């Protein structure tokens, strides 16, 4: 269908197309403004409270890593073919327990030869001793010369030295024979075998297997210099600081650790101090290599200004704030909080005083500054909320 309009009619249409949206937007803006003004006039029901003072122990947090107190690489101390192992990988082993056997045949032969040499030199020494005894008796009767006595004494001493050397060689042979039986140096848990049976091993072959102690264990961590000084002032050189560790699932280990090492300097690159705590690990829940959250608690208590986490808005990136009430109206109060949480309350570093009134319930009713508020008791607010539901 074709519509024929005059030039004036087209002008009117074009004008309407331009004017109508403008009028509509202005009308909509006026309506929105009216609604906002009406909303501003209606008081919002809230519950208010003051920030609280809580006394808590001085504490600090860090990230730590579990380490075995002893972690020992077992190596061969003599050369030979590895005949057999006497454990399963991952076993718990006792100190002195047999782990590997190196072929002992040549070392047993060395012991036998050394023992034979001892017997030979012992016989020579005994004969030389008897010769010297006879010579000592004969010289008193002038039956032999003094030089003959000296010669017999020298022969006796020479054979005694040879006997001593043979005894040392026998002891060395016995030690080398004992090294063919490779035993665990500590109580602990054994790891994965690096060199299997049938291989020729020597002291330069490297680790055959690793054995790590399981209890106690260390947790090492780095503490920021500010936290370090704070805890140092609140304790007796860390002797009475309690150390707690948290697993990845959020649960806390049920044993408390003690500081057993504090480095003698602050690292210039990280601005932190290397520290270490000892933990009982009888149940073996702490596994070397695992990373854990570490919390240190000193005996000295300090006072902190706190607000409930539930009444704060924002985040660590944009900043936190609470809604306060002044002269019957809502006021935004920007705050700085600590990373520490006390009984589900933020520790407030800046932005509030004890006299400030902050909204602790009905926060969802406040959307902007300057809104009128009606303060209710917690009981009354709870009743109204239950009726509304």
């Amino acid at each position: 269908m074709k519509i024929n309009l005059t030039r004036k009619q087209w002008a009117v249409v074009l004008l309407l197309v331009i004017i109508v949206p403008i009028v509509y937007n202005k009308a909509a803006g006026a309506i929105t403004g009216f609604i906002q003004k009406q909303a501003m006039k209606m008081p919002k029901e809230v519950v208010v409270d003051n920030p609280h003072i809580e006394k808590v122990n001085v504490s600090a947090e860090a990230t730590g890593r579990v380490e075995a107190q002893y972690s020992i690489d077992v190596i061969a101390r003599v050369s030979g073919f590895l005949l057999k192992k006497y454990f399963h990988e991952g076993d718990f082993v006792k100190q002195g327990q047999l782990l590997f056997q190196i072929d002992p045949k040549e070392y047993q032969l060395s012991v036998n030869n050394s023992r034979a040499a001892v017997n030979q030199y012992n016989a020579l020494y005994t004969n030389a001793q008897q010769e010297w005894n006879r010579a000592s008796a004969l010289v008193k009767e002038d039956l032999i010369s003094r030089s003959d006595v000296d010669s017999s004494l020298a022969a006796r001493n020479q054979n005694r030295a040879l006997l001593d050397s043979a005894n040392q060689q026998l002891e060395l042979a016995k030690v080398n024979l004992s090294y063919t039986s490779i035993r665990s140096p500590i109580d602990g848990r054994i790891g994965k075998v690096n060199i299997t049976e049938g291989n020729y091993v020597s002291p330069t072959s490297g680790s055959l297997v690793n054995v790590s102690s399981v209890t106690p264990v260390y947790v090492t961590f780095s503490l920021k210099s500010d936290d370090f000084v704070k805890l140092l002032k609140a304790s007796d050189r860390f002797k009475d600081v309690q150390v707690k560790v948290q697993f990845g699932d959020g649960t806390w280990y049920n044993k408390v650790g003690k500081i057993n090492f504090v480095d003698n300097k602050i690292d210039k690159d990280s601005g932190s101090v290397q520290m270490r705590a000892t933990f009982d690990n009888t149940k073996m829940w702490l596994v070397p290599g695992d990373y854990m959250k570490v919390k240190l608690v000193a005996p000295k208590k300090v006072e902190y200004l706190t607000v409930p986490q539930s009444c704060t808005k924002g985040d660590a990136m944009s900043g936190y704030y609470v809604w306060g009430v002044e002269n019957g109206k809502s006021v935004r109060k920007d705050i700085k909080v600590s990373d520490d949480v006390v009984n589900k309350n933020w520790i407030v570093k800046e932005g509030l005083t004890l006299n400030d009134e902050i909204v602790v319930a009905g926060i969802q009713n406040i959307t902007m500054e300057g809104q009128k508020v009606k303060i209710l008791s917690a009981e009354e607010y709870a009743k109204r909320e239950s009726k509304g539901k």
Side-chain angles (χ1 to χ4, degrees):
M1 179 180 177
K2 188 175 181 180
I3 299 174
N4 295 318
L5 298 175
T6 65
R7 181 178 292 180
K8 288 183 178 181
Q9 289 173 328
W10 277 112
V12 171
V13 171
L14 181 60
L15 186 61
L16 288 174
V17 170
I18 296 172
I19 292 175
V20 168
I22 295 174
V23 173
Y24 174 80
N25 288 335
K26 286 186 176 181
I31 292 170
T32 303
F34 176 77
I35 293 172
Q36 289 179 344
K37 288 180 180 179
Q38 293 302 313
M40 292 283 285
K41 291 179 180 179
M42 294 179 62
K44 304 300 181 182
E45 296 179 344
V46 296
V47 179
V48 299
D49 197 3
N50 301 106
H52 292 174
I53 289 290
E54 296 200 41
K55 291 184 177 181
V56 296
N57 295 90
V58 175
S59 64
E61 293 183 353
T63 299
R65 189 167 183 262
V66 182
E67 295 180 357
Q69 187 176 27
Y70 300 104
S71 181
I72 301 174
D73 287 326
V74 178
I75 63 172
R77 301 182 71 173
V78 293
S79 301
F81 286 98
L82 205 58
L83 296 182
K84 191 175 181 181
K85 70 176 179 68
Y86 295 88
F87 62 90
H88 295 290
E89 294 169 312
D91 277 354
F92 293 95
V93 296
K94 292 290 186 180
Q95 183 178 14
Q97 179 178 330
L98 182 62
L99 302 180
F100 296 98
Q101 181 64 58
I102 293 175
D103 189 349
K105 291 178 182 177
E106 64 176 289
Y107 297 98
Q108 183 63 61
L109 289 173
S110 180
V111 169
N112 295 342
N113 289 334
S114 296
R115 186 174 287 117
V118 167
N119 293 335
Q120 177 186 358
Y121 288 118
N122 186 54
L124 293 173
Y125 168 71
T126 301
N127 183 64
Q129 178 68 41
Q130 292 172 348
E131 290 291 335
W132 181 71
N133 290 338
R134 283 193 290 269
S136 297
L138 292 173
V139 75
K140 293 178 181 178
E141 300 176 6
D142 293 328
L143 297 176
I144 60 174
S145 67
R146 187 67 194 178
S147 61
D148 292 333
V149 176
D150 292 340
S151 296
S152 62
L153 177 60
R156 193 281 308 265
N157 291 343
Q158 181 180 12
N159 281 288
R160 184 169 63 182
L162 291 172
L163 176 60
D164 290 341
S165 177
N167 277 317
Q168 294 298 321
Q169 290 298 319
L170 176 59
E171 290 302 313
L172 178 60
K174 287 180 178 179
V175 169
N176 287 335
L177 176 62
S178 71
Y179 287 160
T180 61
S181 297
I182 302 175
R183 301 180 181 276
S184 176
I186 57 170
D187 292 347
R189 190 170 186 173
I190 202 161
K192 180 179 178 295
V193 172
N194 298 317
I195 302 177
T196 58
E197 301 99 317
N199 283 285
Y200 187 84
V201 295
S202 69
T204 61
S205 298
S207 174
L208 303 178
V209 73
N210 178 271
V211 181
S212 296
S213 59
V214 293
T215 185
V217 293
Y218 293 141
V219 175
T220 59
F221 54 92
S222 294
L223 198 62
K224 296 177 184 176
S225 57
D226 290 345
D227 290 334
F228 176 81
V229 174
K230 180 175 67 174
L231 284 170
L232 186 60
K233 291 179 179 179
S235 65
D236 180 17
R237 295 183 181 180
F238 295 100
K239 295 175 184 176
D240 48 3
V241 170
Q242 292 187 336
V243 186
K244 302 176 182 179
V245 290
Q246 188 181 46
F247 295 100
D249 63 359
T251 59
W252 291 91
Y253 185 50
N254 62 355
K255 301 286 186 181
V256 176
K258 291 291 184 183
I259 299 292
N260 78 324
F261 168 75
V262 179
D263 204 354
N264 61 356
K265 63 183 180 302
I266 295 175
D267 186 89
K268 63 180 180 180
D269 296 321
S270 64
S272 59
V273 181
Q274 188 77 12
M275 301 179 70
R276 186 177 67 202
T278 305
F279 284 84
D280 175 79
N281 193 34
T282 306
K283 294 183 178 180
M284 289 172 283
W285 290 351
L286 301 181
V287 181
D290 194 12
Y291 285 93
M292 310 193 76
K293 179 180 178 180
V294 181
K295 184 171 184 178
L296 298 94
V297 182
K300 184 178 179 180
K301 289 183 178 290
V302 294
E303 293 184 347
Y304 290 119
L305 187 72
T306 64
V307 295
Q309 287 182 299
S310 58
C311 75
T312 60
K313 289 180 172 289
D315 53 46
M317 296 294 293
S318 61
Y320 291 96
Y321 67 92
V322 295
W323 286 115
V325 175
E326 293 180 4
N327 301 319
K329 294 182 179 181
S330 61
V331 178
R332 172 171 166 152
K333 291 184 174 289
D334 294 310
I335 61 174
K336 288 185 178 180
V337 300
S338 168
D339 293 334
D340 296 322
V341 176
V342 180
N343 300 324
K344 296 184 179 180
N345 297 328
W346 285 121
I347 293 175
V348 180
K349 299 164 69 176
E350 292 180 19
L352 291 176
T353 69
L354 272 175
N355 297 322
D356 287 322
E357 286 188 324
I358 59 173
V359 178
V360 294
I363 301 170
Q364 71 280 2
N365 297 329
I366 300 176
T367 57
M368 65 187 75
E369 279 196 295
Q371 286 182 283
K372 290 183 179 180
V373 297
K374 181 180 179 181
I375 299 175
L376 303 179
S377 67
E379 294 78 9
E380 186 178 0
Y381 181 82
K383 287 179 182 179
R384 296 203 180 192
E385 284 289 298
S386 62
K387 285 181 181 180
K389 294 179 180 179

